[in-house]
Amino acid sequence: MVSGTGSKGRPDVCLLGKPYAQDHLIQFSEGAYKDYLSGNPRTNYLTTLVRVNVFHAFVQNARVLNFDKSWLTYEAISPFHMVGPGLGPAAVHPSCPESMRPTQLQLAVEHHPWIDLFPHPAMRDNFLRVVAEHGEDYVDEDDMCRDIVDVGAGAGVEESALIVWGEPWDPRGWEATEPFLRKWGWLLAGCPEMLEGTNYWRQKRGLPKLRFSGSTAHMHRPSTD
């Protein structure tokens, strides 16, 4: 990850790059569950719960990939890009879901392992292709991380976020919010499963489907189809 100036006064470094990240999220989860059991759930927990769920999805996908906890450190490098016993292509377990298997770009381009945890091969490649062509400073990776997983960032679900509804390794189990599509839609070009999942989960909540421009993820306009 690279450091950048946080937008809207948010911290420069994503929560995943801070050593207390996991303890912070576990503490919140336990508090939210306690309030739920006592019959006093807080509506302002929604924003944080969305990001806690994404964090938990990352943890589960890290286990699927047999990653150790070093993926939580800020300067970590993906095992898929490293050379040595059990690294590179050899790091992939035979039972690994197809959606989580590394692409050629993941093997070739140095990157932080959190990118490996998204169950969308095209999304991972879209990010890495930009890094390979323009350098790691071209994309504010910390801003992207804050939008997706940082419970301390202060951004609401009505802004930019991903939501996990199904199995973490299933691309159709994820939903992108409208602001996320406007801000990071280029990441989802060629990710039909994510776009299908987004509309599926929106409809489950009574929201209109979104139209997309061709195979890209740039939102076109709301649809009531």
Side-chain angles (χ1 to χ4, degrees):
M1 292 185 180
V2 294
S3 295
T5 301
S7 61
K8 301 184 180 180
R10 291 152 67 181
D12 285 348
V13 179
C14 176
L15 188 66
L16 289 184
K18 300 174 183 176
Y20 58 82
Q22 193 164 14
D23 290 340
H24 180 81
L25 291 169
I26 291 173
Q27 184 179 31
F28 170 82
S29 299
E30 291 175 346
Y33 186 61
K34 182 178 179 180
D35 287 345
Y36 171 77
L37 291 179
S38 66
N40 295 304
R42 302 183 190 179
T43 56
N44 62 352
Y45 276 171
L46 177 59
T47 295
T48 305
L49 281 171
V50 166
R51 287 173 169 79
V52 168
N53 284 342
V54 172
F55 178 81
H56 284 169
F58 282 164
V59 169
Q60 292 180 61
N61 283 346
R63 289 172 181 161
V64 166
L65 294 174
N66 202 30
F67 285 2
D68 60 30
K69 290 185 178 180
S70 65
W71 72 270
L72 282 166
T73 61
Y74 194 74
E75 300 298 334
I77 296 175
S78 170
F80 294 143
H81 182 69
M82 300 172 71
V83 177
L87 299 173
V92 184
H93 192 275
S95 64
C96 179
E98 190 64 31
S99 63
M100 299 298 300
R101 292 180 177 274
T103 66
Q104 287 302 310
L105 277 176
Q106 285 173 265
L107 299 175
V109 180
E110 182 176 315
H111 60 282
H112 192 280
W114 88 291
I115 297 298
D116 301 324
L117 305 180
F118 293 97
H120 314 88
M123 178 181 180
R124 302 192 297 264
D125 275 1
N126 288 338
F127 175 85
L128 294 174
R129 191 174 295 110
V130 169
V131 170
E133 293 176 358
H134 301 284
E136 64 176 5
D137 292 334
Y138 190 79
V139 179
D140 189 341
E141 191 174 347
D142 284 307
D143 189 38
M144 173 179 155
C145 178
R146 285 191 299 268
D147 281 345
I148 294 171
V149 77
D150 197 340
V151 299
V157 178
E158 70 279 1
E159 294 187 30
S160 180
L162 292 178
I163 307 171
V164 183
W165 297 102
E167 295 290 347
W169 47 263
D170 182 359
R172 290 181 174 83
W174 293 62
E175 175 188 343
T177 64
E178 294 181 50
F180 185 90
L181 290 169
R182 285 192 289 267
K183 183 175 181 180
W184 301 104
W186 60 272
L187 283 170
L188 302 183
C191 299
E193 300 90 350
M194 170 72 112
L195 306 183
E196 291 168 10
T198 291
N199 276 334
Y200 173 80
W201 295 110
R202 283 177 61 85
Q203 286 187 292
K204 293 280 281 187
R205 302 199 308 281
L207 297 176
K209 292 171 62 176
L210 300 177
R211 292 187 185 276
F212 304 97
S213 300
S215 61
T216 70
H218 295 291
M219 191 174 60
H220 186 50
R221 66 175 182 273
S223 168
T224 56
D225 294 347

